Amino acid sequence: AMVVVGLAAAYAPRALRTCSLSRRAAATATEQSAPIATVSTLWRYPIKGFPPDGLSRVTVAENGTFPNDRQWAVADVSCDEFDAAVPKWVHKQHFHGAFRSGPALALLNTSFTNGRLRFFGPESGVADLGTPSGRALVEDVIGSRVGAKVKLCTGGEAHQFGNTQSGVRHHNDTRTIHLVNAASVRAVAAATGLPVTA
């Protein structure tokens, strides 16, 4: 999950509820004359490395994350790094996504609603990730794009295929939320000359 905030220095309060700062964090920011964060966008990535879905609102429990965020990932069929029976954090190099598979998946166009992944473009269709046929459809689409046999993995609702081990280090949990400072996004766009948005 990614939250883009307008704040001088982004930070993660211990408890986020409906994407508002906790009272304690807000009070601390006020005492220090720092601006209060303004959430500008909310992104959820149902399948790791796939296109995100923009959310208008989300409620997050303490030490939780966005519902269905990175609950799924696509790995090579031969990958034995991840065991769904005993899910643990695994480095993203073991999974397919725009970061590893480049244009083959960077140009993928999908949306996720109520457990169903909808493909737009050449692979139009809807995959119910809760069914074997739905998971097989995702595997077929991605396999044809990357030119390899792949498998769709999940560790259940309590597991997240996160980019870092920070959640594991802090509270023995893979689930995390990334706060991105909107000023940093603008700085990267300016430095690279690319239309970087978040």
Side-chain angles (χ1 to χ4, degrees):
M2 184 170 71
V3 180
V4 179
V5 297
L7 185 67
Y11 61 94
R14 180 171 172 79
L16 289 173
R17 290 185 176 80
T18 316
C19 282
S20 61
L21 293 175
S22 67
R23 290 180 185 168
R24 180 177 173 189
T28 300
T30 302
E31 290 167 8
Q32 297 173 350
S33 297
I36 300 298
T38 300
V39 175
S40 59
T41 53
L42 301 169
W43 296 106
R44 178 200 45 210
Y45 299 78
I47 300 181
K48 182 177 182 64
F50 278 41
D53 290 318
L55 303 176
S56 60
R57 182 181 177 89
V58 67
T59 300
V60 181
E62 185 170 336
N63 289 331
T65 189
F66 289 19
N68 303 119
D69 184 55
R70 286 169 289 164
Q71 185 175 337
W72 302 87
V74 177
D76 290 313
V77 162
S78 59
C79 176
D80 58 5
E81 297 292 324
F82 180 76
D83 181 354
V86 188
K88 61 180 175 55
W89 183 84
V90 176
H91 194 278
K92 67 181 180 180
Q93 71 187 18
H94 297 289
F95 303 106
H96 287 281
F99 47 83
R100 173 183 165 189
S101 305
L105 294 184
L107 300 177
L108 192 63
N109 188 0
T110 62
S111 68
F112 181 84
T113 307
N114 298 325
R116 291 175 172 79
L117 185 74
R118 179 178 295 276
F119 290 96
F120 299 94
E123 303 98 353
S124 61
V126 179
D128 183 342
L129 302 187
T131 66
S133 61
R135 294 190 292 274
L137 174 58
V138 173
E139 293 168 350
D140 289 345
V141 168
I142 304 310
S144 66
R145 279 184 169 251
V146 301
K149 286 196 171 292
V150 299
K151 60 184 176 183
L152 186 62
C153 307
T154 184
E157 293 181 9
H159 179 80
Q160 183 186 60
F161 292 97
N163 291 334
T164 72
Q165 295 189 67
S166 59
V168 178
R169 286 194 300 267
H170 293 294
H171 48 82
N172 199 33
D173 194 317
T174 57
R175 295 171 294 177
T176 57
I177 295 174
H178 300 276
L179 296 181
V180 178
N181 188 334
S184 297
V185 174
R186 290 191 296 272
V188 169
T192 62
L194 298 173
V196 180
T197 59

